Amino acid sequence: MSVNTFGRMFRFTTWGESHGPALGAVVDGCPPGIALTEADIQPWLDKRRPGTSRFTTQRREPDTVRILSGVFDGRTTGTPISLMIENVDQRSKDYSDVAKAYRPGHADYAYDAKYGFRDYRGGGRSSARETAARVAAGAVARLVVPQVRVRAWVETIGGDAIDPANFDDAQIDQNPFFCPDAEAALRWEALVDAARKSGSSLGAVIACEATGVPAGWGAPLYAKLDSELASACMSINAVKGIEIGDGFAAAALSGEANADPMRPGADGPEFLANHAGGIAGGIATGQPIRLRVAFKPTSSILTPVETISPTGEAATIATKGRHDPCVGIRGVPVVEAMVALVLADQALLHRGQCG
Amino acid sequence: MSVNTFGRMFRFTTWGESHGPALGAVVDGCPPGIALTEADIQPWLDKRRPGTSRFTTQRREPDTVRILSGVFDGRTTGTPISLMIENVDQRSKDYSDVAKAYRPGHADYAYDAKYGFRDYRGGGRSSARETAARVAAGAVARLVVPQVRVRAWVETIGGDAIDPANFDDAQIDQNPFFCPDAEAALRWEALVDAARKSGSSLGAVIACEATGVPAGWGAPLYAKLDSELASACMSINAVKGIEIGDGFAAAALSGEANADPMRPGADGPEFLANHAGGIAGGIATGQPIRLRVAFKPTSSILTPVETISPTGEAATIATKGRHDPCVGIRGVPVVEAMVALVLADQALLHRGQCG
Amino acid sequence: MSVNTFGRMFRFTTWGESHGPALGAVVDGCPPGIALTEADIQPWLDKRRPGTSRFTTQRREPDTVRILSGVFDGRTTGTPISLMIENVDQRSKDYSDVAKAYRPGHADYAYDAKYGFRDYRGGGRSSARETAARVAAGAVARLVVPQVRVRAWVETIGGDAIDPANFDDAQIDQNPFFCPDAEAALRWEALVDAARKSGSSLGAVIACEATGVPAGWGAPLYAKLDSELASACMSINAVKGIEIGDGFAAAALSGEANADPMRPGADGPEFLANHAGGIAGGIATGQPIRLRVAFKPTSSILTPVETISPTGEAATIATKGRHDPCVGIRGVPVVEAMVALVLADQALLHRGQCG
Amino acid sequence: MSVNTFGRMFRFTTWGESHGPALGAVVDGCPPGIALTEADIQPWLDKRRPGTSRFTTQRREPDTVRILSGVFDGRTTGTPISLMIENVDQRSKDYSDVAKAYRPGHADYAYDAKYGFRDYRGGGRSSARETAARVAAGAVARLVVPQVRVRAWVETIGGDAIDPANFDDAQIDQNPFFCPDAEAALRWEALVDAARKSGSSLGAVIACEATGVPAGWGAPLYAKLDSELASACMSINAVKGIEIGDGFAAAALSGEANADPMRPGADGPEFLANHAGGIAGGIATGQPIRLRVAFKPTSSILTPVETISPTGEAATIATKGRHDPCVGIRGVPVVEAMVALVLADQALLHRGQCG
């Protein structure tokens, strides 16, 4: 089975390859009457767009979105919203080597093993280019839950972490790394430049916070809010780990150290800590949702790597093309989009069952 | 919406509360003709059963499973398999305090926020007792993919890690901690005893490996093998993190260090490393699937914690009852079950689309 | 794939065979806080119960339902509701012939063709006994949409139709045929008695009306209200046709004759006709929902019929056992249950998307 | 909830409105390696295309399909296939009256009741124009089950039925009515012409047969082959009834008259009758699948009908525009498409579970 739909009640289906004529998303289940134009979506795509700094791939894609259905007189009608983005700058010739040898770390071998053959141009369907469609769908999701603010940033690149003491929300959009720590941003400039110049690559950890999520959203047991977030984030290209709240660090704490005590507050409970990341039993507690996502280093590197050809012969491959030296950076708007999509879905699921 | 079904083609639905008369699972989509009796399921339940050592809860449940449908003449018929486990040792009086105050870290407050009220006896539906039903379903899943071996163990308790050099598969079932390192098991005895006696609790990290998974299983993009595993594991009580392969460590590596080079091998490629944990582009590469799951410390502790009552007054709660000092330990068979369930599902999904 | 779950938001999963120890349903997605005890379910099961008159099968099943989960202090908790009915009067010996030859019209041959073998005792999973689980789930559904009244009756038996002029709602529960026309009920007594005595069988048409369904329920395009009702009813054993409103008769009308004009009314529009059966574009119009379901004659007949054995030899089979001479009669509570289940689902779907 | 996806394993999602820029379908779950170009799809769209005779709407749409994804080097890749058809001949001015008054029989009032407002141009999403997307998806489905032949025709128009004795498969594509009876086709010419000229409309019954379906396809209990076909056909605009095999006529038969006896045949059983329409217990028997679908007369008529305005005032409406005098005629390729889509889905479901 191929599963290109995500969500249960607020659902989206994406389609398209790296080097096809276009890619897109069909958003189904959106509530009616929401004001929506391309201008609500484009800024989020611009945030993810390649080629905006020397620290991302130099592929030049305007990523202009068109709404083809589901909106009338500027408002959603409750019917499917078809979003399309044309591919403009496909240099298919860059990928001729990829046809002849599997790039380790990429999906090349696995796709061939599954499907018997593959669209090797830029990774075809397995390309991170598909995430543009998610970001477009995520922009619609944000409008479904306007009370929620979803915000992500980069926390480490190549193992070099921000200093939490320097955290400044206003910084995040002031540098090409979505980095909330101005000092770290300077260090990362050198770090990523070095990787780029040497044809190497770096991993990253993205953190994300969603505020304004009311207590009660979440669909136990198998669509728990944290379970859905884990599924959503792990489906992003290059992601290898996901934590909610303290995550792996919690596994080293005692029960006392990990407790999130409560006190009576003005509007429901006031929590004295948030080790749990705003989720208990798979249901939102009303605290900020906090999660962290690990991106592996971009698999495309200039250093030749041992590999095999589709017919099984030994080969080496060095990936030239135009690549992100740190694919995690452009993961920031994608993580935000996936979190927004999960929350929109959970909002409708909750309203459906619990009124 | 309430979502108590997991899986797409090989699906199971669980039902039941900690203190109801019984709990169970309905397994749907199982291929016909597979030999199945209660004796194929019981050993896995025994592995998870409470009260088998002083390091787990002292609740005494035989957890005897009955097959109520879907099997005829000792073989699966292709129709739903209903599995039921009766609850025997429910001491509801233990939980009277829980009715009056929310236990921090538990789902108590969140369930009330969602549903307006809750079954407070032992956590009701949010109790880890539900995982017995998953383990029963997982035993059926194993029979669907007999070529696959799923094996989990505890890697750290309270931050104290095994020494990989001491790893001995044969040790795992020789101690009450599912610990592959005999020395670590001795240390953990003291560690968990101390936590138990003081009414404290400890977190744990579980590792899991699945061998024999053929290249090609996986359903991109939104039921990627890693995405499904993340969803499956994050849905387990007390889990706060999941990593595939190197996980968060990969985020600190360079592309060169993270590469998994290939060479021609006897049966398809021979991989020279497995940073990716056996999954690329959401599809199995034929290498062992490797993942790691973080369990927070049991939220039930003897130390009084500040909290509120359902009517919003300040309160404190100390959880007496009978609890696992380290809920991660008994998570081992549950992680195995969830991994087996995902793999059985992916096996059928793959066969359905790709023949 | 095996699909034993119905519904999208209010879902139920059934399990069990004719001659297994029990059968049941797990209802998932039920809103919390609804008063529910076995006494809310039992009367509907009693209506469907076999052996209540000489016009139905003489199998004696008390069909006593037990609620095993999902209810606390007499109210639904929002978690899965497990309903179980034990099988009591299984005379497996009656079915020994069925192992040796396929009964034409039954699922015997088709199940073998699909699964390679089958539980031949009483038809196993394909037995209409499974509908007891649907009726139990349907009783819960009714409580989810208390504003709706779902009422079915028999309109024809063996081609002999009621006279609409004689329609009397109060009659429906006064005779063993769910017949609203007292005169027809008398005729049917003779008709069904004759069929029963000669070992023959009769078909029937059931009509069903749901009032109180608000305009707006329905989920276009592929979960249209009429489409879901068609799927629900066609999934009932022995059903071969379904009509909404005028159904096939509408195909012979002109557009003028088929129009349902509207006038301003006290609460929204007043409709001057209801050819459409209360549904337009897959969405309820607020008029009564009207549908009609065709049941074929019971396939079990005493007359020997030509058939083959599982190994492909020629054979004849005469079905003795204990059968309903007109399976459509006991279809009445089943149709009602399926309609109630669809409406409960649509109610939650509508609330989820449209608030 | 809005549900614009159909199918379980071979799934399609449609989007688009009558008067938007385009409409389309995303086909997900298609097996890889199937030869596919636009030329495989276009002929089926041409069959459904409006304006090909004076007996259908005079809207002139070329209905040219583009494949935007999922195909590489002329073969399906196993990833989503995006199909797009641009709308060319939208005369929105024709529909200005529709904004001011609900057209009885259309979805106008119901959409407003559900969503609060609607795209009134040509019925928006509720327009039968959406069925072009189904026909495109259905063309792909046919390639997935090449062993199956799906063939539909018109059996009655305005109550005037073909003579089964005159049935000639070769005739079906020789007249504008998909009529297998040359004499009936002549009569219908006069009948439909009269309706067209007077601004009236006619209903129709479509019959469909699928041959080559192997015994065993079908997914009991709630995705029974007949249940899925009922859902698929009832989701088509203007459909009010569906029968499998003898359908409603079976309800008037005795068990003896309705039996489908079997004899040993060359390849499995030879059936002596096919009252069941090729399905028993929801599973294909290997006989031809036979079904019949009732289309109501087009609701758009020239005769003024009493109605109300969106603000609740009394009004009358006469629908001028460009309409099919008998919408059932162009339903033929749509019924075929839906049947093909169900069968492709069932083929993969069966292979997934039963190998």
Side-chain angles (χ1 to χ4, degrees):
Chain A
M1 186 147 80
S2 179
V3 179
N4 291 279
T5 298
F6 187 89
R8 296 166 190 271
M9 189 136 192
F10 183 89
R11 293 179 308 284
F12 67 98
T13 301
T14 69
W15 56 270
E17 286 88 39
S18 177
H19 285 61
L23 53 86
V26 182
V27 175
D28 198 9
C30 186
I34 297 177
L36 176 69
T37 69
E38 278 92 350
D40 295 301
I41 302 171
Q42 198 60 51
W44 305 105
L45 283 168
D46 292 346
K47 218 173 143 178
R48 181 204 158 279
R49 196 173 57 202
T52 53
S53 81
R54 71 178 184 273
F55 306 107
T56 63
T57 171
Q58 294 307 299
R59 180 166 170 172
R60 299 277 166 178
E61 288 288 356
D63 280 354
T64 307
V65 69
R66 280 184 70 198
I67 300 174
L68 296 177
S69 69
V71 175
F72 181 62
D73 275 353
R75 289 188 295 157
T76 59
T77 57
T79 64
I81 302 167
S82 178
L83 305 170
M84 187 167 74
I85 298 162
E86 286 186 55
N87 282 327
V88 171
D89 183 20
Q90 315 112 292
R91 299 194 204 157
S92 291
K93 63 191 162 181
D94 281 347
Y95 293 96
S96 52
D97 287 357
V98 180
K100 295 180 209 138
Y102 297 129
R103 294 167 302 167
H106 281 282
D108 299 348
Y109 168 69
Y111 265 65
D112 259 15
K114 182 172 194 70
Y115 298 117
F117 81 120
R118 81 203 130 102
D119 177 353
Y120 48 74
R121 301 164 306 161
R125 181 71 181 153
S126 72
S127 166
R129 188 140 180 72
E130 180 268 348
T131 59
R134 306 189 191 204
V135 169
V140 181
R142 287 180 190 265
L143 302 174
V144 172
V145 287
Q147 69 273 51
V148 174
R149 180 177 186 259
V150 179
R151 180 69 153 156
W153 58 87
V154 178
E155 213 167 74
T156 77
I157 288 187
D160 182 22
I162 60 165
D163 180 347
N166 292 345
F167 188 98
D168 177 4
D169 188 282
Q171 272 296 319
I172 298 174
D173 293 326
Q174 302 302 316
N175 60 68
F177 305 108
F178 302 108
C179 177
D181 169 352
E183 287 177 30
L186 285 176
R187 297 196 309 270
W188 293 354
E189 212 164 293
L191 199 63
V192 179
D193 251 343
R196 183 177 58 83
K197 286 176 186 162
S198 67
S200 181
S201 67
L202 296 163
V205 173
I206 309 296
C208 184
E209 184 179 77
T211 52
V213 177
W217 289 6
L221 291 180
Y222 301 121
K224 283 178 169 175
L225 182 46
D226 35 4
S227 174
E228 296 287 270
L229 290 168
S231 169
C233 291
M234 197 65 94
S235 76
I236 301 171
N237 309 52
V239 170
K240 301 304 287 184
I242 162 96
E243 302 184 304
I244 305 292
D246 285 3
F248 278 86
L253 296 180
S254 70
E256 292 77 15
N258 190 56
D260 291 329
M262 290 182 264
R263 262 184 217 158
D267 306 311
E270 179 193 337
F271 286 89
L272 307 183
N274 189 6
H275 297 284
I279 304 174
I283 302 175
T285 61
Q287 294 174 279
I289 307 291
R290 284 188 186 139
L291 57 91
R292 206 172 281 111
V293 181
F295 283 77
K296 69 175 181 181
T298 314
S299 296
S300 302
I301 50 173
L302 205 59
T303 309
V305 186
E306 236 180 309
T307 189
I308 62 169
S309 73
T311 49
E313 284 93 45
T316 61
I317 192 160
T319 319
K320 286 156 199 167
R322 300 162 297 172
H323 303 288
D324 288 284
C326 174
V327 74
I329 297 169
R330 285 174 56 224
V332 165
V334 183
V335 168
E336 285 185 355
M338 294 307 290
V339 170
L341 286 156
V342 167
L343 291 171
D345 194 30
Q346 291 280 1
L348 303 191
L349 292 174
H350 180 69
R351 184 166 69 184
Q353 188 186 9
C354 297
Chain B
M1 184 147 82
S2 178
V3 179
N4 290 280
T5 299
F6 187 90
R8 296 166 191 270
M9 188 136 192
F10 183 89
R11 292 178 309 283
F12 68 98
T13 302
T14 69
W15 56 269
E17 287 88 40
S18 177
H19 285 62
L23 53 87
V26 181
V27 175
D28 198 8
C30 187
I34 297 176
L36 176 70
T37 70
E38 277 92 350
D40 295 301
I41 302 172
Q42 198 61 51
W44 304 105
L45 282 168
D46 292 347
K47 217 173 143 178
R48 181 204 157 278
R49 196 174 57 201
T52 52
S53 81
R54 71 179 183 276
F55 306 108
T56 63
T57 172
Q58 295 307 298
R59 181 166 169 170
R60 298 277 167 180
E61 288 289 355
D63 280 354
T64 306
V65 68
R66 280 185 70 200
I67 300 174
L68 296 177
S69 68
V71 175
F72 180 62
D73 275 352
R75 289 188 294 158
T76 59
T77 57
T79 64
I81 302 167
S82 178
L83 306 169
M84 188 167 75
I85 298 162
E86 287 186 56
N87 282 327
V88 170
D89 183 20
Q90 315 113 291
R91 299 194 203 156
S92 291
K93 64 187 165 191
D94 280 350
Y95 293 95
S96 53
D97 288 356
V98 180
K100 295 180 209 138
Y102 297 129
R103 294 167 302 167
H106 280 282
D108 299 349
Y109 168 68
Y111 265 64
D112 259 14
K114 182 171 194 69
Y115 299 117
F117 81 119
R118 81 203 130 101
D119 177 353
Y120 48 74
R121 301 164 306 162
R125 180 71 180 152
S126 72
S127 166
R129 189 142 177 71
E130 181 267 348
T131 59
R134 306 188 192 205
V135 170
V140 180
R142 287 180 189 266
L143 302 174
V144 173
V145 287
Q147 69 271 52
V148 174
R149 179 176 188 259
V150 180
R151 181 71 153 153
W153 58 88
V154 179
E155 213 166 76
T156 77
I157 288 187
D160 182 23
I162 59 165
D163 180 347
N166 292 345
F167 188 97
D168 177 5
D169 189 282
Q171 273 296 317
I172 298 174
D173 293 326
Q174 302 302 316
N175 60 69
F177 306 108
F178 302 108
C179 177
D181 170 353
E183 287 177 30
L186 285 176
R187 296 196 307 272
W188 293 353
E189 211 165 293
L191 199 64
V192 179
D193 250 343
R196 183 177 59 82
K197 286 176 186 161
S198 67
S200 181
S201 67
L202 296 162
V205 174
I206 309 296
C208 184
E209 184 179 76
T211 52
V213 176
W217 289 6
L221 291 180
Y222 300 120
K224 282 178 169 175
L225 182 46
D226 35 3
S227 174
E228 296 286 271
L229 289 168
S231 169
C233 291
M234 196 66 93
S235 76
I236 302 172
N237 309 52
V239 170
K240 301 304 286 185
I242 162 96
E243 301 184 304
I244 305 292
D246 285 2
F248 279 87
L253 296 180
S254 69
E256 292 77 16
N258 190 57
D260 291 329
M262 290 182 262
R263 262 186 216 156
D267 306 311
E270 179 195 336
F271 286 89
L272 308 182
N274 189 6
H275 297 284
I279 304 174
I283 302 175
T285 61
Q287 294 174 278
I289 307 290
R290 284 189 186 137
L291 57 89
R292 207 173 281 109
V293 182
F295 283 77
K296 68 176 182 181
T298 314
S299 296
S300 303
I301 49 174
L302 205 58
T303 310
V305 186
E306 236 180 308
T307 189
I308 62 169
S309 73
T311 49
E313 283 93 44
T316 60
I317 192 161
T319 319
K320 287 158 198 164
R322 301 162 298 172
H323 303 288
D324 288 283
C326 174
V327 74
I329 298 169
R330 285 174 57 224
V332 165
V334 183
V335 167
E336 285 185 355
M338 294 307 290
V339 170
L341 286 156
V342 167
L343 291 170
D345 195 29
Q346 291 279 1
L348 303 191
L349 293 174
H350 180 70
R351 185 167 68 183
Q353 188 186 9
C354 298
Chain C
M1 183 146 82
S2 176
V3 178
N4 291 278
T5 299
F6 187 90
R8 297 166 191 269
M9 189 136 192
F10 183 89
R11 292 179 309 284
F12 67 97
T13 302
T14 69
W15 55 269
E17 285 88 41
S18 177
H19 285 62
L23 53 87
V26 182
V27 176
D28 199 7
C30 185
I34 297 177
L36 177 69
T37 69
E38 278 92 350
D40 295 301
I41 302 171
Q42 198 60 51
W44 304 105
L45 283 168
D46 292 347
K47 217 173 143 178
R48 181 204 157 277
R49 195 172 59 201
T52 52
S53 81
R54 72 179 185 275
F55 306 107
T56 64
T57 170
Q58 294 307 299
R59 181 167 169 170
R60 298 277 167 179
E61 288 288 355
D63 280 354
T64 307
V65 68
R66 279 186 68 200
I67 300 175
L68 295 177
S69 68
V71 174
F72 181 61
D73 276 352
R75 288 187 296 156
T76 59
T77 58
T79 64
I81 302 167
S82 178
L83 305 170
M84 188 166 77
I85 298 162
E86 286 186 57
N87 282 327
V88 170
D89 182 20
Q90 314 113 291
R91 298 195 203 157
S92 293
K93 63 188 166 191
D94 281 347
Y95 294 95
S96 52
D97 288 356
V98 180
K100 295 181 210 138
Y102 297 130
R103 295 168 300 168
H106 281 281
D108 299 349
Y109 168 69
Y111 265 65
D112 259 15
K114 182 172 194 68
Y115 298 119
F117 81 120
R118 82 202 130 101
D119 177 353
Y120 48 74
R121 301 164 305 162
R125 180 71 180 153
S126 72
S127 165
R129 187 139 178 73
E130 182 268 348
T131 59
R134 307 188 191 206
V135 169
V140 181
R142 287 180 188 265
L143 302 174
V144 172
V145 286
Q147 70 272 51
V148 174
R149 179 176 188 259
V150 179
R151 181 70 152 155
W153 59 87
V154 179
E155 214 167 74
T156 75
I157 288 187
D160 180 21
I162 60 167
D163 179 348
N166 292 346
F167 188 97
D168 177 4
D169 189 282
Q171 272 297 318
I172 298 174
D173 293 325
Q174 302 303 316
N175 60 69
F177 306 108
F178 303 108
C179 178
D181 170 353
E183 286 176 30
L186 285 177
R187 296 196 308 270
W188 294 353
E189 211 165 294
L191 199 62
V192 179
D193 249 344
R196 182 175 61 83
K197 285 176 185 161
S198 66
S200 181
S201 67
L202 298 162
V205 173
I206 310 295
C208 183
E209 184 179 76
T211 52
V213 176
W217 288 7
L221 291 180
Y222 301 120
K224 282 177 170 176
L225 182 45
D226 35 3
S227 174
E228 297 285 271
L229 290 168
S231 170
C233 291
M234 196 66 92
S235 75
I236 301 171
N237 309 51
V239 170
K240 302 304 286 185
I242 161 95
E243 301 184 304
I244 305 292
D246 284 3
F248 279 86
L253 295 181
S254 69
E256 292 76 17
N258 190 55
D260 291 328
M262 291 182 262
R263 262 185 215 158
D267 308 311
E270 179 195 336
F271 286 89
L272 308 184
N274 188 8
H275 298 284
I279 304 174
I283 302 176
T285 60
Q287 294 174 279
I289 307 290
R290 286 191 185 135
L291 56 90
R292 206 172 283 109
V293 182
F295 284 76
K296 69 175 182 182
T298 314
S299 296
S300 303
I301 49 174
L302 205 59
T303 308
V305 185
E306 236 180 309
T307 188
I308 62 170
S309 73
T311 49
E313 284 92 45
T316 60
I317 191 161
T319 318
K320 288 157 197 166
R322 301 163 296 173
H323 302 288
D324 288 282
C326 173
V327 76
I329 298 170
R330 283 173 58 224
V332 165
V334 183
V335 167
E336 284 185 357
M338 293 308 289
V339 170
L341 286 156
V342 167
L343 291 171
D345 194 29
Q346 291 280 1
L348 302 190
L349 292 173
H350 180 70
R351 184 165 71 182
Q353 187 186 11
C354 298
Chain D
M1 186 147 81
S2 176
V3 178
N4 290 279
T5 299
F6 187 90
R8 298 167 189 269
M9 190 136 192
F10 183 90
R11 292 179 309 284
F12 68 98
T13 302
T14 68
W15 55 269
E17 285 87 41
S18 176
H19 285 62
L23 51 87
V26 182
V27 175
D28 199 6
C30 185
I34 297 176
L36 177 69
T37 68
E38 277 92 351
D40 295 302
I41 302 171
Q42 197 60 51
W44 305 105
L45 283 168
D46 293 346
K47 216 172 145 178
R48 180 205 159 278
R49 196 172 58 202
T52 52
S53 80
R54 71 178 184 274
F55 307 107
T56 63
T57 171
Q58 293 308 299
R59 181 166 170 172
R60 297 277 167 178
E61 289 288 356
D63 280 354
T64 307
V65 69
R66 280 184 68 199
I67 300 175
L68 295 177
S69 69
V71 174
F72 181 61
D73 276 352
R75 289 187 295 157
T76 59
T77 58
T79 63
I81 302 167
S82 178
L83 305 170
M84 187 167 75
I85 297 162
E86 287 187 55
N87 282 326
V88 171
D89 182 20
Q90 315 112 294
R91 298 195 203 157
S92 292
K93 63 189 165 184
D94 282 347
Y95 294 95
S96 52
D97 287 357
V98 180
K100 295 180 209 139
Y102 297 130
R103 294 168 301 168
H106 280 282
D108 299 348
Y109 168 69
Y111 265 64
D112 259 14
K114 181 171 194 69
Y115 297 118
F117 82 120
R118 83 203 128 100
D119 177 353
Y120 48 74
R121 300 164 307 163
R125 180 70 180 153
S126 72
S127 165
R129 190 143 175 69
E130 182 268 347
T131 58
R134 307 188 191 205
V135 170
V140 180
R142 287 180 189 265
L143 302 174
V144 172
V145 286
Q147 69 272 52
V148 173
R149 180 176 187 260
V150 179
R151 181 68 154 158
W153 59 87
V154 178
E155 215 167 74
T156 76
I157 288 187
D160 181 23
I162 60 167
D163 179 347
N166 292 345
F167 188 97
D168 176 4
D169 189 282
Q171 272 297 317
I172 297 174
D173 293 325
Q174 302 303 316
N175 60 69
F177 306 108
F178 302 109
C179 178
D181 170 352
E183 287 177 31
L186 285 176
R187 296 196 307 269
W188 294 352
E189 211 165 294
L191 199 62
V192 180
D193 250 343
R196 183 177 59 82
K197 286 177 185 161
S198 66
S200 182
S201 67
L202 298 163
V205 173
I206 309 296
C208 184
E209 183 179 76
T211 52
V213 176
W217 289 6
L221 291 180
Y222 300 122
K224 282 178 170 174
L225 182 45
D226 35 3
S227 174
E228 297 286 269
L229 290 168
S231 170
C233 291
M234 196 66 93
S235 75
I236 302 171
N237 309 52
V239 170
K240 302 304 287 184
I242 161 96
E243 301 184 304
I244 305 291
D246 284 3
F248 278 86
L253 296 180
S254 70
E256 292 75 16
N258 190 56
D260 291 329
M262 290 182 263
R263 262 185 215 158
D267 307 310
E270 178 194 338
F271 286 90
L272 308 184
N274 188 7
H275 298 284
I279 304 174
I283 302 175
T285 60
Q287 295 174 278
I289 308 290
R290 286 191 185 135
L291 57 90
R292 205 173 283 109
V293 182
F295 283 76
K296 69 176 182 181
T298 314
S299 296
S300 303
I301 49 173
L302 204 60
T303 308
V305 185
E306 236 181 308
T307 188
I308 62 169
S309 74
T311 49
E313 283 93 43
T316 61
I317 191 161
T319 319
K320 287 157 199 167
R322 301 163 297 172
H323 303 288
D324 288 282
C326 174
V327 75
I329 298 169
R330 284 173 57 223
V332 166
V334 183
V335 167
E336 285 185 356
M338 294 307 290
V339 170
L341 286 156
V342 166
L343 291 171
D345 194 31
Q346 292 280 2
L348 303 191
L349 293 173
H350 180 70
R351 183 166 70 182
Q353 187 185 11
C354 299

